[in-house]
């Protein structure tokens, strides 16, 4: 199958599945929104700019899973902001359901590299930036190969591998693996973190030190 035909079929699949799931999951989303409003207050949705296709920013929409940051001079850590309900929403991936709206809009795909924070973009190598050659995904290869438990280098390697080898069959396999990963609740958080560690870029060699002989 040519790459152009794959992209057209992938877009039809994205819109069809996202619309169908949004309709079928409407009662679950309504109950989730009510539970968030009662336990964390409003807003119930989390909105944040993320880099998408070719690095262009879009507004990602998810269900909120943490309390507000509080005092800007003394912000709370993620572990203290995360509520039991938020932890459960992340474990079950129900917090991702509103992101299907991003799929309908064309900001995202069902499968692709996860959209990361805008401040990470200047820290990418040229190879790592290749993850933006495709739309970001609700799920992706690194999501089913270890998720937040993987080191950043492994995550970027998997993202670029997906970009180079993407196909309809691979997308369907990733969607199937996603169901298993969610049921097993693998890799929800990074070791020692309530969410994920910050990506600080590729370490720059210390050129002031004498090379080892």
């Amino acid at each position: 199958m040519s790459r152009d035909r794959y992209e057209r079929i992938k877009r039809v699949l994205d819109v069809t599945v996202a619309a169908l799931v949004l309709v079928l999951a409407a009662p679950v989303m309504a109950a989730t929104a009510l539970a968030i409003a009662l336990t964390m207050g409003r807003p119930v949705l989390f909105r944040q700019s993320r880099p998408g296709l070719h690095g262009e920013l879009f507004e990602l929409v998810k269900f909120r899973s943490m309390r507000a940051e509080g005092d800007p001079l003394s912000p709370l850590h993620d572990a203290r902001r995360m509520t039991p309900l938020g932890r459960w929403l992340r474990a079950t991936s129900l917090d991702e359901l509103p992101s299907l709206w991003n799929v309908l809009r064309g900001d995202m795909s069902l499968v692709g590299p996860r959209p990361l924070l805008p401040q990470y973009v200047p820290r990418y190598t040229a190879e790592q930036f290749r993850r933006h050659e495709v739309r970001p995904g609700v799920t992706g290869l690194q999501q089913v190969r270890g998720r937040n438990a993987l080191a950043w280098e492994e995550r970027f390697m998997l993202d670029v591998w997906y970009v180079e080898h993407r196909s309809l069959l691979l997308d369907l396999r990733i969607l199937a693996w996603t169901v298993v990963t969610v049921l097993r609740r693998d890799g929800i958080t990074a070791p020692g973190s309530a969410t994920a560690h910050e990506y600080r870029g590729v370490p720059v060699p210390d050129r002031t030190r004498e090379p080892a002989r």
Side-chain angles (χ1 to χ4, degrees):
M1 180 186 299
S2 70
R3 184 54 56 85
D4 285 345
R5 189 177 183 197
Y6 157 72
E7 297 291 354
R8 288 197 297 273
I9 294 176
K10 181 183 176 79
R11 183 66 190 139
V12 171
L13 182 68
D14 282 346
V15 172
T16 303
V17 174
L20 185 63
V21 174
L22 280 173
V23 171
L24 294 177
V28 175
M29 294 177 68
T32 302
L34 178 62
I36 293 172
L38 292 175
T39 57
M40 288 183 262
R42 300 180 69 174
V44 299
L45 293 177
F46 170 80
R47 301 173 184 270
Q48 190 176 54
S49 289
R50 298 290 176 95
L53 183 64
H54 306 311
E56 294 187 8
L57 294 178
F58 70 96
E59 187 180 62
L60 175 72
V61 186
K62 297 174 62 174
F63 276 126
R64 191 170 153 217
S65 58
M66 294 192 219
R67 297 187 184 92
E69 292 186 355
D71 186 349
L73 298 178
S74 182
L76 296 175
H77 294 296
D78 286 351
R80 296 188 61 184
R81 294 174 56 208
M82 187 79 69
T83 67
L85 173 62
R87 199 170 292 112
W88 181 77
L89 289 176
R90 288 188 175 223
T92 56
S93 294
L94 288 176
D95 62 320
E96 305 280 358
L97 283 175
S99 299
L100 293 173
W101 173 247
N102 290 115
V103 176
L104 284 181
R105 284 173 47 89
D107 301 324
M108 296 177 65
S109 174
L110 293 174
V111 180
R114 285 289 299 169
L116 301 176
L117 296 173
Q119 57 265 40
Y120 291 178
V121 174
R123 304 172 188 172
Y124 292 161
T125 65
E127 181 74 2
Q128 290 170 346
F129 189 79
R130 294 195 59 202
R131 69 195 310 279
H132 293 290
E133 291 179 12
V134 299
R135 286 187 179 91
V138 177
T139 185
L141 185 58
Q142 53 121 325
Q143 298 302 109
V144 299
R145 292 289 181 87
R147 215 166 166 183
N148 290 324
L150 295 175
W152 279 110
E153 290 76 11
E154 294 176 275
R155 296 167 68 174
F156 287 126
M157 181 189 68
L158 290 170
D159 287 344
V160 175
W161 191 94
Y162 171 79
V163 169
E164 293 177 343
H165 297 86
R166 64 190 187 276
S167 68
L168 193 57
L169 178 59
L170 178 60
D171 286 351
L172 294 176
R173 290 172 65 188
I174 290 173
L175 288 173
W177 287 335
T178 298
V179 175
V180 176
T181 301
V182 170
L183 291 176
R184 293 171 57 179
R185 302 188 179 186
D186 289 340
I188 299 168
T189 61
S193 172
T195 53
H197 296 303
E198 179 182 355
Y199 176 62
R200 299 183 183 279
V202 178
V204 177
D206 184 358
R207 302 187 186 284
T208 63
R209 297 180 59 183
E210 182 180 358
R213 298 179 178 174

